[in-house]
Amino acid sequence: MITADTSSSATERYRIAVRELCAFAAREGDLDLRFTPSPTAQQGIRGHQRIVRRRGKDYESEISLSGCIGNLEIRGRADGYDPRRNCLEEIKTHRGDLSRQPANHRALHWAQARVYGALMCRSRDLEGITLALVYLDIAADATASTAKDESESGGASIGASQDEQRLEAWWSREALEAELARLAARFSEFAANELAHRRARDSALGTLAFPWPAWRPGQRQLAEHAYKAVMTGRELLAEAPTGTGKTLATLYPALRAMPRNGTDRLFYLTARTPGRALALDALTTLVPEVVENAESPDTPAATLRILELGARSKTCEHPTLACHGESCPLARGFHDRLPAARSAALADCQPLTLATTRRHALAHEICPYFLAQELSRWADVIIGDHNHYFDSHALLFALTHANDWRSVVLVDESHNLIERARGMYSTELDARQFHFLLKQLSRTGHPAPLRSASRTLARQWRALEQLGPENGSSGNPSSGNDSTDDGSQQARLALETLPGDFLKALTQWTGAMGDWLAEPDKAATPPAARQQAARATVTQAPEQLGLIASDTTTLASSTTPSDSSPTSTAASRRLEPDVEMMEAYFAALTLTRLAEGFGDHSLFEVELAATKPPRQATLTSGSSSRSGAASAAGVEAGAAARPRKPRGRSVRQIQPRLRCVSPAPWLAPRLRASHATLLFSATLNPPAYHHRLLGLADNAVWLSVESPFRATQVQVSRHRLSTRLRDREASCRPIAELMARQYQQRPGNYLAFFSSFAYLEQVASTLQQLTPEIPQWRQTRAMTEAERTTFIQRFTPDGQGIGFAVLGGAFGEGIDLPGSRLIGAFIATLGLAGFSPENEALKQRLAQWLESDARRRVERHSTDGAKEERDDEAGPLPPVIQPLKADDCTYLYPGLTRVVQAAGRVIRSEQDQGVIHLIDDRFLRPEVARLLPRWWTPTD
């Protein structure tokens, strides 16, 4: 166990937020996420503002408080204070039945209120204070925004409102000080250890040496600019070719700068699992002294605490169980066993990889995923995925914000971040899934609020097809229409404003659905107070609900009506929660949450499936004989029959999605929250594309590192062949003949990349017919991890053959095949996204955003005056208002990035020799050639 260093405790204090202190010292019992009163940030802010508006004019909100006790400096912001009543309020927003809140959650809230109360008594020299927990149901009807003044009542129901519940207690100053001392005592020893660890860490990093006797070409240049960016708190966008040693060139200066600029945490983020492994290897090389210090027992075991984070789906031990003690054994007593597990993990002298963290967690019978989340609070260097910082529910960003950390963020493979972030902030609802779900939930047997909300949502869902331009939509949508062979119509609507009625119905449905999923049987017969047909919803993340996949036996085992019960028929028609239902619910929550940030960087799309044309009314001989009046009217032969009124589309024929066009508005706040951010990759050309769409600051530094490789190491050839869709069949034989000639000239291992699996199969089959003696292996759709490994293992140093792959797939980047394991590549595509209504809608909306973004940047410059001085060695900044064409941003730049990444598999070291064949006549165009690596000297 780590012991405290008390030598300087009198002068050195550990700073901690009130919430973090209580989370450490006051939590106990099970891990229970069934009820989490934490909505999104925007909803929480609106909820707090709703409470403040109800209070009197003397009411104070967001009161900054701080105080010292022992070796701790405690800081925080109290939600509200009424000086007339001497009442301090801790406001918590939630949704639904407060009785579902676990007791340990309520105890934690009281602990926070008591700490704020103690600090308030110190600040205002009070002898005592009334503490109030105010629970605001943000889903309830808030029409009564002006409640009675609190001074009218001294009881627990003052300012009574249907959406507000209040708990009060008076505490003396002495009692609050005792409570504060009790919590501080629980954390004091740990704080002393943390202070000692920080001193040891900074001392070791201050003398950290580069692990190799010499730098690679370009590596020192990258390291120098990385160090300057960290020291000056800037954003650096760096393009460094493969082989530069980017991992060491960014980690080493960031670590050296930690003690000098007071860095609290270092985050290394990658897009793929192999990137995490490279970072772990580099850290092991950089800090070999991460071993137990036997000479000084007061020094923590690890000089540098290194933690690897993984996806929840890959680290959960019981993915079919809900995250609470009644379901999962690793959630039962989690907070009681957490201190011992935490201490054991932090005392480990090895990096806390996924396997190491799992070992510690299972040894103490707690969840590995949530132990890793707890360790994130105490690790120095955290290695994770891009989404651990940039996603809307990102853990590392949340911790940085809550603890006011000075964090440095290193983003490897940052050429992927634009598309990754678009995926993080885009979502769609499965129309077929919702079609059957809403139909079932509308039936008798489910709670009335859920039935009503399901019917309303289905009605508003069907109304989406009326939002086209022919119906005068206010969103100025663009649409694409295609006719099928049978005359039916397909359409796609791209709306620039949100369909308000649909979003309102969706939020009401998620509210009713959330109540039912939490307690299915209780929600089936709710009390009168909970019969609200229309509710707004808190947009919780899946992890907030505490469910990965539904455990139907746990969720539906409380009661089963007997056959003689009057409700047995209804109960038999009632659905039970299952995995598919939870997926639909989470998708709806995500869409409503992302809708809060909808702007000119977003699109709301509605895809309308084909429908059969309306049937024509006909008159048969039988029908005319039965209808004398019709016969008497004398319908003329050949007259046009009147069409029947067309039926609208059903829910399953209407696919809604919210699409992120530019992730910059989402990413920019996260970039500004860090002290410094370094984004680096081998392919960041043109820099303005990444600068603008990633939301980098106007004063971000651009660096392009010269390649360590020589032009003589690779022979790059461009071929005047068309690989366009209309020419693909004719191109198969010339491409196969080119591959055969190259292989016969120099047998060895090659990779061939194509734009689609169909094109891949066509060329591979043609080559097999021409030269069956050339070994070949092909990438297939939905390959398993084992199949991908087998594909890569075919590239042996003494192997021969051609591997066929799809450009932009699993084998286009992130694989390392040095030397003779790969000696050449054929790239038969520009990698352009297909021309489609979806991509055209994205292009049109992106053009609007690029124009407005340029206007906003110009306004900032005119307001701020002269630009900041730049480091001349970094080279000129890319002009922040560089003209960018939306067409290039949609098609050309992403495609060429994939091409250069795939070609980069060939030359991996200064000893490699290889060939690259670029097969498409468009590679000869100047605007395309400018995007290829500068060190290439292609021949035609």
Side-chain angles (χ1 to χ4, degrees), residues 687-852:
Y689 167 64
H690 298 276
H691 188 142
R692 297 275 296 279
L693 268 70
L694 291 176
L696 297 183
D698 293 346
N699 68 343
V701 178
W702 162 248
L703 173 68
S704 180
V705 178
E706 292 296 327
S707 174
F709 306 134
R710 305 178 307 279
T712 54
Q713 287 185 250
V714 61
Q715 178 185 346
V716 182
S717 302
R718 296 181 292 191
H719 301 271
R720 296 180 182 273
L721 282 172
S722 173
T723 63
R724 299 169 181 85
L725 183 61
R726 64 176 182 271
D727 302 320
R728 284 181 185 170
E729 186 174 353
S731 70
C732 290
R733 188 174 183 88
I735 293 175
E737 290 174 346
L738 170 66
M739 296 170 71
R741 288 197 303 271
Q742 175 62 49
Y743 184 87
Q744 291 164 359
Q745 178 182 348
R746 186 185 175 188
N749 292 317
Y750 294 85
L751 264 172
F753 295 96
F754 298 86
S755 56
S756 67
F757 284 101
Y759 197 16
L760 179 156
E761 291 293 335
Q762 283 179 292
V763 177
S765 298
T766 303
L767 178 65
Q768 195 168 40
Q769 293 174 359
L770 285 175
T771 53
E773 67 277 9
I774 298 180
Q776 61 172 252
W777 49 101
R778 309 176 188 179
Q779 179 184 359
T780 59
R781 289 182 173 85
M783 293 180 79
T784 64
E785 187 70 32
E787 290 171 335
R788 289 196 294 269
T789 301
T790 301
F791 184 95
I792 293 297
Q793 288 176 345
R794 294 288 299 269
F795 294 90
T796 59
D798 56 351
Q800 294 183 353
I802 301 176
F804 287 78
V806 172
L807 189 70
F811 308 113
E813 61 178 287
I815 59 171
D816 194 20
L817 300 171
S820 60
R821 293 187 64 189
L822 183 68
I823 62 171
F826 306 91
I827 304 175
T829 175
L830 247 69
L832 306 184
F835 184 86
S836 65
E838 300 100 310
N839 288 330
E840 284 299 291
L842 184 146
K843 182 183 76 174
Q844 294 174 19
R845 185 63 161 168
L846 185 59
Q848 298 173 14
W849 180 84
L850 287 171
E851 182 179 352
S852 61

Side-chain angles (χ1 to χ4, degrees), residues 476-480 492-496 600 602-606 657 659-661 834-849 886 890-891:
N476 300 319
S478 61
S479 64
R492 181 172 287 100
L493 310 176
L495 309 177
E496 296 176 5
D600 60 359
S602 311
L603 271 177
F604 190 91
E605 297 181 327
V606 181
R657 64 174 60 91
R659 191 174 183 191
C660 175
V661 173
F835 184 86
S836 65
E838 300 100 310
N839 288 330
E840 284 299 291
L842 184 146
K843 182 183 76 174
Q844 294 174 19
R845 185 63 161 168
L846 185 59
Q848 298 173 14
W849 180 84
T890 304
Y891 297 102

Side-chain angles (χ1 to χ4, degrees), residues 520-521 551-560 574 576-577:
D521 296 289
D551 177 18
T552 55
T553 59
T554 300
L555 291 175
S557 61
S558 54
T559 59
T560 304
R574 188 170 72 229
E576 300 296 349

